[in-house]
């Protein structure tokens, strides 16, 4: 395996990333939790560490574990920019020839953790991205712990390293209150102060809501304390698409805000609606089309083209996108400036992940605020108040006359039960912004600059700026096409042709082929086909 090549014209590290790397340089054994706000750039220090460890020989390979397959490819592309070649969604911790490591989903590891454990090498650096998923998904956490239990070091990354249930995240230490204790922490408030992330302004909407509950008709605003069951029905009424003066009115308000932002200079600013389910998403899309005259992009998690549609929206000028379960980690759309929270999920973890979709900044632009419209449900107001609390005390001195929200302990929304429920009416409007962009922010105390990073050896750069995994995929596809063509011409089997190729190359299977082996395969096949009579 070659030494990682030098990074091509990459921007300098941010101060917090240099601080994190200085702390990582002192890390010798056990797990290390790096907690950084979504959008702050926690991938970069992890890859810089991997590059340094590979270059020095301290690590023989790298395993990046992620919650989703698109993230494995996102990591592979980011790593290639820094000279590290990863094979995405691999079936083994041992990388193919010519690669420095693999990126893989937690689900793939959990399918056969024993095999991963047996194949793992002692010198492998293990990185767990969005490690909080290891606590949410019990099988993932157990599989990860089994697969890498013998590995001396785990680098755990998370923007939300807390748990909404009693399941701990493997390798994470907790205080007496069950709060994670990171080794390095870079909060959302710090990232806003440093201009790395946008501030988010929460706009709660409330009014008179009514619904039929069994034989009773109940009318209430979010200010009224209700039973858990009726509070859940009130919330479902607030996000119903069937009541003209409810969610449809808020969608029009949100679109007006987006138009205002676009007119003010951010011409390609985008808006996102988080829907409860597929049917809800389609109904919201119809409402947006009616309100704006243009059909929004709709992305549903079960669609085969979901990731491609998200990527296309990221680089387009389309104003709105409606999504279900497709806007958590790994979705990077910096042009998002307006959002509508219309999902039934209300845990702190989901809320923080959704907020994280609106904090990304654009190089060369000021980090102007984003706007997120939320029902004035007490649970959501509590989550928003928590974010506001962090920003307030990090960005400016507290004032006694500032708004405080009551934050009572509340149970999670109960699942729907057999009694009939029918939303009847809604008359809602945006209330005062829960908190706005911080004014008069003072310079927060910053960590002292760490010592300069050690320079890495600079090997010859690769012949192409294309990541190795993408070149490998293209070569394998071309090999397969040529094998099929030769099979048809010589009336033989693909198995026989592949066996001939592998004998020529001295490899057991195509999975073991290096990029050079694959290039030689294509040359051999082209030569064979060219000489065929």
């Amino acid at each position: 395996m070659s030494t990682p090549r030098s990074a091509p014209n990459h921007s300098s590290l941010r101060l917090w990333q240099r601080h994190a790397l200085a702390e990582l340089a002192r890390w010798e054994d056990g797990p290390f939790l790096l907690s950084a706000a979504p959008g702050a750039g926690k991938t970069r220090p992890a890859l810089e560490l991997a590059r340094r460890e590979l270059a020095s020989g301290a690590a023989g390979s790298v395993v990046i574990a992620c919650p989703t397959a698109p993230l494995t490819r996102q990591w592979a592309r980011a790593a290639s920019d820094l000279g590290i070649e990863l094979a995405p969604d691999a079936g083994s911790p041992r990388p193919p020839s010519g690669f420095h490591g693999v990126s893989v989903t937690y689900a793939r590891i959990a399918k056969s953790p024993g095999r991963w454990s047996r194949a793992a090498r002692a010198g492998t650096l293990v990185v767990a991205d969005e490690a909080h998923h290891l606590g949410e998904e019990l099988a993932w956490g157990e599989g990860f712990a089994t697969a890498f239990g013998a590995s001396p070091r785990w680098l755990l990354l998370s923007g939300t390293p807390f748990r909404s249930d009693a399941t701990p995240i493997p390798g994470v230490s907790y205080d007496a209150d069950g709060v994670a204790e990171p080794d390095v922490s870079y909060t959302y408030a710090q990232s806003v102060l440093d201009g790395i992330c946008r501030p988010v302004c929460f706009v709660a909407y409330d009014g008179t809501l009514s619904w039929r509950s069994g034989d009773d008709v109940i009318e209430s605003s979010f200010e009224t304390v209700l039973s858990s069951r009726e509070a859940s029905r009130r919330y479902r009424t607030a996000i119903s698409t069937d009541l003209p003066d409810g969610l449809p009115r808020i969608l029009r308000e949100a679109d007006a805000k987006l138009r205002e932002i676009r007119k003010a200079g951010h011409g390609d600013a985008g808006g996102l609606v988080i829907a409860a389910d597929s049917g809800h998403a389609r109904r919201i899309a119809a409402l947006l089309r009616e309100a704006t005259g243009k059909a929004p992009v709709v992305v549903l998690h079960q669609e085969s083209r979901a990731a491609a549609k998200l990527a296309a929206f990221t680089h387009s000028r389309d104003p709105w996108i409606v999504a279900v379960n497709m806007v958590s980690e790994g979705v990077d759309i910096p042009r998002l400036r307006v959002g509508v929270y219309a999902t039934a999920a209300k845990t702190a973890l989901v809320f923080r992940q959704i907020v994280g979709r609106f904090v990304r900044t654009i190089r060369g632009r000021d980090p102007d605020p984003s706007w997120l419209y939320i029902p004035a449900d007490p649970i959501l107001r509590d989550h928003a108040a928590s974010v506001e609390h962090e920003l307030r005390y990090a960005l400016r001195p507290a004032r006694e006359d500032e708004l405080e929200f009551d934050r009572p302990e509340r149970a999670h929304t109960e699942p729907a039960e057999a009694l009939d429920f029918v939303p009847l009416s809604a008359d809602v409007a945006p209330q005062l912004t829960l908190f706005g962009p911080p004014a008069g922010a003072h310079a927060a105390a910053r960590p002292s600059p760490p010592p300069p990073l050690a320079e890495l050896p600079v090997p010859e750069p690769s012949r192409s700026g294309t990541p190795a995994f993408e070149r490998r995929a293209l070569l394998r596809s071309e090999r397969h096409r040529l094998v099929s063509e030769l099979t048809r011409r010589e009336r033989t089997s693909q198995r026989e042709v592949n066996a001939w190729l592998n004998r020529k190359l001295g490899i057991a299977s195509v999975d073991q082929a290096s990029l050079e082996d694959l290039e030689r395969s294509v040359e051999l096949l082209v030569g064979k086909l060219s000489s065929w009579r």
Side-chain angles (χ1 to χ4, degrees), residues 13-54:
L13 289 165
R14 294 164 177 164
L15 181 60
W16 86 264
Q17 293 169 331
R18 294 182 68 84
H19 172 69
L21 276 169
E23 292 298 314
L24 285 165
R26 292 188 276 272
W27 172 41
E28 296 181 353
D29 194 28
F32 187 104
L33 175 59
L34 192 162
S35 172
K42 59 185 177 294
T43 301
R44 180 69 186 275
L47 289 174
E48 290 286 357
L49 171 70
R51 187 166 170 265
R52 182 170 63 193
E53 298 269 299
L54 290 166

Side-chain angles (χ1 to χ4, degrees), residues 409-481:
E409 292 296 324
R410 294 179 182 270
H412 292 305
T413 301
E414 291 183 354
E417 67 305 296
L419 289 176
D420 291 338
F421 160 68
V422 180
L424 297 178
S425 68
D427 186 3
V428 300
Q431 310 298 302
L432 292 175
T433 304
L434 299 190
F435 66 92
H442 63 280
R446 301 175 185 230
S448 300
L453 299 175
E455 293 297 323
L456 297 178
V458 182
E460 289 296 318
S462 71
R463 293 177 296 169
S464 168
T466 305
F469 81 90
E470 292 184 350
R471 302 202 305 277
R472 181 181 174 84
L474 289 171
L475 286 167
R476 287 192 64 165
S477 176
E478 180 65 4
R479 170 176 157 146
H480 179 74
R481 185 185 70 79

Side-chain angles (χ1 to χ4, degrees), residues 112 144 169 209 237 280 326 388 414 424-425 479 522 530:
S112 53
F144 181 86
I169 302 169
L209 302 160
T237 301
H280 192 226
M326 289 299 295
E388 186 266 355
E414 291 183 354
L424 297 178
S425 68
R479 170 176 157 146
V522 171
S530 299

Side-chain angles (χ1 to χ4, degrees), residues 263-382:
K263 187 176 181 180
H266 190 170
D268 66 344
L272 164 68
V273 185
I274 315 296
D277 54 45
S278 299
H280 192 226
R282 294 188 182 96
R283 294 193 296 274
I284 287 173
L287 290 170
L288 279 172
R289 181 174 184 175
E290 181 181 338
T292 67
K294 181 177 175 62
V297 177
V298 179
V299 180
L300 308 177
H301 62 282
Q302 70 268 30
E303 286 183 319
S304 59
R305 294 185 57 250
K309 290 171 74 173
L310 276 171
F313 180 82
T314 299
H315 302 291
S316 75
R317 294 180 60 87
D318 292 334
W320 282 99
I321 183 170
V322 183
V324 182
N325 293 343
M326 289 299 295
V327 289
S328 57
E329 299 88 348
V331 178
D332 187 358
I333 310 177
R335 68 187 188 91
L336 287 179
R337 294 286 304 280
V338 177
V340 179
Y341 194 107
T343 177
K346 295 190 289 182
T347 66
L349 185 61
V350 168
F351 186 85
R352 292 271 182 155
Q353 288 173 350
I354 289 175
V355 170
R357 299 316 100 205
F358 299 93
V359 305
R360 311 277 175 163
T361 54
I362 299 173
R363 188 183 300 276
R365 281 184 171 274
D366 291 335
D368 295 322
S370 294
W371 302 80
L372 182 58
Y373 290 75
I374 64 173
D377 179 89
I379 294 174
L380 296 185
R381 286 172 62 94
D382 183 51

Side-chain angles (χ1 to χ4, degrees), residues 86-303:
L86 301 177
D89 208 18
S92 165
R94 297 191 177 183
S97 177
F99 285 74
H100 302 98
V102 303
S103 51
V104 62
T105 62
Y106 292 128
R108 182 179 285 270
I109 294 169
K111 284 182 179 178
S112 53
R115 181 165 60 84
W116 276 78
S117 177
R118 290 188 294 272
R121 295 171 177 169
T124 299
L125 174 64
V126 178
V127 179
D129 188 29
E130 306 299 349
H132 51 270
H133 284 286
L134 296 175
E136 292 180 315
E137 298 283 350
L138 190 59
W140 289 7
E142 290 180 346
F144 181 86
T146 299
F148 303 111
S151 299
R153 294 189 300 170
W154 297 350
L155 175 55
L156 308 173
L157 309 177
S158 181
T160 49
F162 53 84
R163 43 193 174 147
S164 54
D165 56 18
T167 307
I169 302 169
V172 173
S173 299
Y174 296 91
D175 64 17
D177 297 320
V179 178
E181 297 180 310
D183 296 279
V184 168
S185 178
Y186 186 66
T187 66
Y188 171 56
Q190 290 171 311
S191 69
V192 171
L193 178 62
D194 290 342
I196 294 172
C197 291
R198 301 181 187 278
V200 176
C201 302
F202 297 99
V203 183
Y205 62 89
D206 199 358
T208 303
L209 302 160
S210 68
W211 60 97
R212 183 179 299 280
S213 183
D215 294 330
D216 299 324
V217 173
I218 300 177
E219 183 175 284
S220 171
S221 72
F222 282 111
E223 295 297 323
T224 304
V225 176
L226 297 175
S227 68
S228 165
R229 183 186 68 193
E230 298 307 331
S232 172
R233 292 177 167 187
R234 175 177 59 193
Y235 185 84
R236 289 157 62 194
T237 301
I239 64 172
S240 171
T241 56
D242 298 328
L243 309 175
D245 292 325
L247 180 61
R249 174 184 289 177
I250 299 306
L251 292 172
R252 294 192 295 272
E253 293 276 354
D255 182 63
K257 171 59 72 175
L258 182 60
R259 291 173 184 271
E260 175 188 319
I261 291 170
R262 286 187 160 213
K263 187 176 181 180
H266 190 170
D268 66 344
L272 164 68
V273 185
I274 315 296
D277 54 45
S278 299
H280 192 226
R282 294 188 182 96
R283 294 193 296 274
I284 287 173
L287 290 170
L288 279 172
R289 181 174 184 175
E290 181 181 338
T292 67
K294 181 177 175 62
V297 177
V298 179
V299 180
L300 308 177
H301 62 282
Q302 70 268 30
E303 286 183 319

